[in-house]
Amino acid sequence: TALISLNSSIVTEVDSLTIRSGSENPIANKYSISGDENGRVFTHNGSGTLRLEGLDIRKGQVTANGAKGGCILSQGHVALDRSGMKYCHAEGSSGTIQGGAIFARSVTLTQSLIDKSSATATGTGATASGGAIHAQQGVNLIDSRVTRNAVKVTGSATFGINGGGITTGRLDALHSTIANNEVRVGDDADAGGARGAGVDITGAIETGSALSFIRFSTISGNKIVTGDDESNAGGAAVFFNPTGDTTLTIESSTIANNTSDRSKKYGGALALAKDATITNSTISGNKFLADAAANASKYDGAGITLDDGVTLTLRNTIVSGNVLADAADPNIAFGSDIGVFDDNTATLNGTPNFLGNVNSSVTITGTGNIIDNYDPDLGALQDNGGPTETMFPNTDSPVIDAGG
């Protein structure tokens, strides 16, 4: 791999530009372009698409008030094809820090990786979003990975601490993994609004469909880590609250081993403020750490937390084996799979599904659901031969042949 080290950002005014290395290998790219922590790698001032093919982009660093796009800042759209991006950072002490790796109107990754990047806010009132990507118009992931990125706030920010991996108004993920990303809030900050450690889907898009899809994908190991104060944190895997009439569809996917820390509102791995449909999927092994966990009526929903009036449609789906644990004493733990914020009401439609603890405020319609089974007896999250890691049922699992 040939290394190109930059002293300053590559700036282009061209509307649409393709930079291609010629490599067909998405891992062993021919060219690595490093910002050497001297500044951003690419600044794209055009309104079209900056397309990078077969490149390794790394070590972009932007430190400024309201910093955006540690490795790429685009006024238009960004597409990565068979490319990797690592160690990109945006940091500032005031304003909103957005897009540790990429800030653009929309982003598409195809057979690509964004890893170990961050958006960090350090000053009083400063906020941060999109540890890897901030793209309000939409993010498309195809056979790609967004892993080990972070949003970090060390000052006294109270809201707008979102999207450890991705912040966007619309997501379409296919055969992709969003894993081990974090929203981390320091002890001096009130984490009200610390949301979506994996993906934060909020706000409005400018044009086109606002529908979001997660298909044949895995969202796992993402964490919301708060400071000393209780918070309105939640949605360790996905926080879904876009503007307008829109829905989230999850199909043949796994949401597992995500953790939310001390939330007064959206504790679940999936925090849904709008209607959603989940089919042929597994939601298990997620954990919600709460102060005074014994007050379970206020904290139900370590797997899925629904906002007031939301309708959740499930088909052939496992939501079981998720746990509410006391933040001070993890030995105090309860099965907690589907709940509603603050004892409001929501509706669960569909059949047949394998469900653990469902809060009594959720009205269940449909026949053939298996309810109050807290142990689906699934294997570890691992490579079972599909496009992403999954949790395969053990030999004696009660979920075998339980679907329709």
Side-chain angles (χ1 to χ4, degrees):
T1 300
L3 175 63
I4 301 172
S5 295
L6 304 177
N7 291 321
S8 60
S9 179
I10 299 171
V11 180
T12 176
E13 307 293 333
V14 176
D15 271 351
S16 293
L17 174 67
T18 297
I19 302 175
R20 181 182 297 120
S21 77
S23 172
E24 295 298 323
N25 188 331
I27 304 299
N29 297 312
K30 283 187 176 181
Y31 295 100
S32 178
I33 304 177
S34 174
D36 276 358
E37 300 179 351
N38 292 317
R40 185 180 297 117
V41 178
F42 287 102
T43 301
H44 173 227
N45 292 324
S47 59
T49 300
L50 173 65
R51 183 177 181 86
L52 306 180
E53 298 182 3
L55 295 173
D56 175 70
I57 308 298
R58 58 181 57 211
K59 291 188 177 180
Q61 174 82 41
V62 176
T63 302
N65 296 335
K68 293 176 172 59
C71 272
I72 298 177
L73 172 64
S74 174
Q75 302 303 316
H77 313 277
V78 172
L80 302 186
D81 186 353
R82 296 168 289 110
S83 295
M85 190 170 290
K86 283 188 175 183
Y87 312 122
C88 304
H89 304 290
E91 181 175 327
S93 59
S94 68
T96 301
I97 315 305
Q98 297 173 309
I102 302 174
F103 180 92
R105 292 182 63 205
S106 73
V107 172
T108 297
L109 306 185
T110 304
Q111 292 183 279
S112 293
L113 166 73
I114 300 181
D115 185 49
K116 291 186 176 180
S117 296
S118 66
T120 303
T122 60
T124 301
T127 62
S129 63
I133 299 169
H134 190 289
Q136 193 57 51
Q137 185 69 15
V139 172
N140 302 305
L141 305 178
I142 305 164
D143 297 305
S144 293
R145 296 175 60 86
V146 177
T147 58
R148 299 185 292 183
N149 305 287
V151 160
K152 297 180 281 188
V153 174
T154 60
S156 59
T158 55
F159 288 95
I161 310 165
N162 310 323
I166 298 168
T167 293
T168 185
R170 179 192 59 81
L171 175 71
D172 192 341
L174 175 65
H175 297 165
S176 293
T177 296
I178 301 170
N180 301 318
N181 303 287
E182 283 190 353
V183 171
R184 181 172 290 272
V185 182
D187 289 347
D188 293 332
D190 177 0
R195 308 174 308 203
V199 187
D200 173 47
I201 306 173
T202 54
I205 68 170
E206 298 170 8
T207 60
S209 172
L211 302 179
S212 287
F213 299 90
I214 299 169
R215 297 169 291 167
F216 300 93
S217 295
T218 295
I219 304 179
S220 66
N222 302 287
K223 295 181 181 180
I224 295 174
V225 182
T226 66
D228 292 335
D229 292 335
E230 282 193 334
S231 68
N232 287 324
V238 178
F239 181 86
F240 183 69
N241 189 22
T243 301
D245 184 14
T246 183
T247 61
L248 170 65
T249 298
I250 300 175
E251 177 186 355
S252 301
S253 295
T254 301
I255 313 294
N257 304 339
N258 302 283
T259 302
S260 293
D261 182 7
R262 286 179 296 183
S263 169
K264 293 179 181 177
K265 191 168 185 179
Y266 299 110
L270 293 179
L272 305 177
K274 297 289 181 70
D275 293 352
T277 297
I278 305 175
T279 305
N280 298 327
S281 295
T282 298
I283 301 168
S284 189
N286 301 289
K287 184 177 290 186
F288 176 13
L289 301 176
D291 289 332
N295 185 12
S297 65
K298 294 289 186 183
Y299 292 113
D300 266 0
I304 303 174
T305 302
L306 305 174
D307 212 339
D308 187 30
V310 167
T311 296
L312 172 64
T313 300
L314 299 180
R315 299 188 184 96
N316 294 320
T317 288
I318 300 167
V319 189
S320 182
N322 304 286
V323 175
L324 166 72
D326 196 292
D329 184 358
N331 292 318
I332 302 174
F334 309 86
S336 174
D337 295 292
I338 302 176
V340 183
F341 163 57
D342 201 23
D343 293 334
N344 287 304
T345 59
T347 302
L348 191 160
N349 294 329
T351 184
N353 302 288
F354 189 93
L355 309 175
N357 175 276
V358 180
N359 188 288
S360 60
S361 296
V362 179
T363 299
I364 301 175
T365 64
T367 61
N369 293 301
I370 300 172
I371 304 173
D372 290 336
N373 193 315
Y374 300 107
D375 185 8
D377 194 13
L378 304 176
L381 185 68
Q382 62 184 16
D383 182 357
N384 290 305
T388 64
E389 291 184 337
T390 55
M391 303 174 79
F392 202 76
N394 291 320
T395 303
D396 295 326
S397 170
V399 307
I400 295 174
D401 295 329

